[in-house]
Amino acid sequence: MITQTKRMTAEELAAWSGRAGRSELVKGEYIEMAPASGGHGAVAGKALIKIGIFVEANPHLGKVFAAETGFILARNPDTVRGPDAAFLSFPRANLPPDQAGFIEGPPDLAVEVVSPNDTEREVAAKVADYLAAGTPLVWVIRAKNRTVTVHDASGDVRELGEGEVLDGGDVLRGVEVEVGGLFV
């Protein structure tokens, strides 16, 4: 992971033409990340599809966002995170298709797929940032263990394995995903 010492704002990050690829802003510090592996991308894609199919069938709920869509979680200093998949409910999801910049505020559901090079500390920091910003539901998918850890705003943490069903809680009532199905 490469970091830059100059503090940035979310607007500077969005406008910065020197940004090469995947990046986030954590308390004003620029964090550059390597592109995702094929396995990571496949699992993130599967999660996005499962959520997306449900939201397409229930379009009044909100919108689904693909990997690396930037959400501004904090200001002064700014934190911008890009989950691997996300859901944002209406009316906040009423964004113009040509909107520039990042989405102000947290997603209602953030999905993070743990890469082999991610440390538990980094994953925990992302989850903490989402929850502190007001994200009510965070799914952390670990392909290596074939598990999903569910964090909610109340502080509850549940780990689900193959054969168990992941649900959308109060955020996406009715969505159900068999955990093992994320890894095929």
Side-chain angles (χ1 to χ4, degrees):
M1 196 178 305
I2 301 168
T3 60
Q4 177 177 312
T5 57
K6 177 191 176 292
R7 293 227 180 254
M8 303 177 91
T9 66
E11 290 73 23
E12 289 170 328
L13 178 63
W16 186 31
S17 62
R19 190 166 62 123
R22 291 176 23 147
S23 60
E24 293 181 322
L25 197 62
V26 179
K27 295 181 179 148
E29 185 176 311
Y30 174 77
I31 307 292
E32 184 176 311
M33 297 169 285
S37 69
H40 177 113
V43 172
K46 190 70 104 161
L48 182 67
I49 289 168
K50 299 284 187 182
I51 298 164
I53 288 171
F54 182 81
V55 173
E56 279 292 310
N58 299 279
H60 63 282
L61 295 175
K63 292 182 181 177
V64 177
F65 294 85
E68 309 313 323
T69 300
F71 289 86
I72 302 170
L73 303 182
R75 290 288 194 174
N76 299 320
D78 293 359
T79 294
V80 177
R81 293 286 193 183
D84 292 306
F87 168 77
L88 187 61
S89 62
F90 287 125
R92 288 189 51 233
N94 279 330
L95 305 169
D98 62 344
Q99 177 193 342
F102 304 119
I103 297 170
E104 190 74 46
D108 294 300
L109 167 64
V111 179
E112 288 289 346
V113 178
V114 178
S115 294
N117 59 340
D118 288 341
T119 67
E120 282 303 315
R121 184 177 172 183
E122 290 168 336
V123 174
K126 286 184 180 190
V127 170
D129 285 347
Y130 289 123
L131 294 174
T135 299
L137 188 62
V138 181
W139 294 350
V140 177
I141 302 173
R142 291 180 171 81
K144 181 179 180 181
N145 302 350
R146 300 174 80 85
T147 62
V148 179
T149 306
V150 179
H151 302 262
D152 69 32
S154 73
D156 285 345
V157 179
R158 297 177 297 141
E159 186 168 305
L160 304 172
E162 290 188 85
E164 294 184 277
V165 177
L166 175 63
D167 66 60
D170 292 337
V171 174
L172 282 171
R173 284 195 184 282
V175 74
E176 292 186 343
V177 178
E178 197 280 312
V179 171
L182 294 170
F183 309 110
V184 293

